[in-house]
Amino acid sequence: MKLAEALAERAEAMRRVEQLRSRVVGSARYQEGETPAEDAALLLAEAGEVLDTLETLMARINRTNSAVDMGADGTLTDALARRDVLRLRHSVVTAAADAAAGTSERGYGRQLRSELMTLSALPVAGLRSRADALARDIREIDVRIQRTNWEVDLRD
């Protein structure tokens, strides 16, 4: 099994656990004289089985990520950490540019000469340019990660 297939399987298992959790909660209590829509104990047991499978799958994915060498990007785990930080960095820079540009303020600017003018404390154009460069870096590392996911076999 390729790593990408395992990642898809993990996502499906996580969705399944969430669905089962919701169904267990919905069936955990019922009114006297009625029968519950579903057997909460059976649903809970099924959720336990899916979680056991998910744990094994996650451990295998983590072992694979830490063992796969991606050259200049380091291990796959290193590349994932880099991508996550790039996404956070992009989010911070974009938020700073939006705040400095006043895009979140209603009625930006001033109506009368007697009103105080709001000034930007940060260079908006420079921040937008930096955000664009970060977005490019995110796309590039993401492509390398995805390529690796489809090339690498899942480890035991």
Side-chain angles (χ1 to χ4, degrees), residues 48-62:
E49 291 171 13
V50 174
L51 286 165
D52 290 343
T53 302
L54 183 61
E55 181 180 0
T56 300
L57 189 58
M58 291 172 83
R60 291 181 68 194
I61 290 168
N62 289 341

Side-chain angles (χ1 to χ4, degrees), residues 66-86:
S66 63
V68 172
D69 182 27
M70 290 185 53
D73 290 317
T75 65
L76 185 51
T77 300
D78 295 336
L80 291 168
R82 173 96 176 116
R83 183 186 64 184
D84 291 347
V85 170
L86 283 170

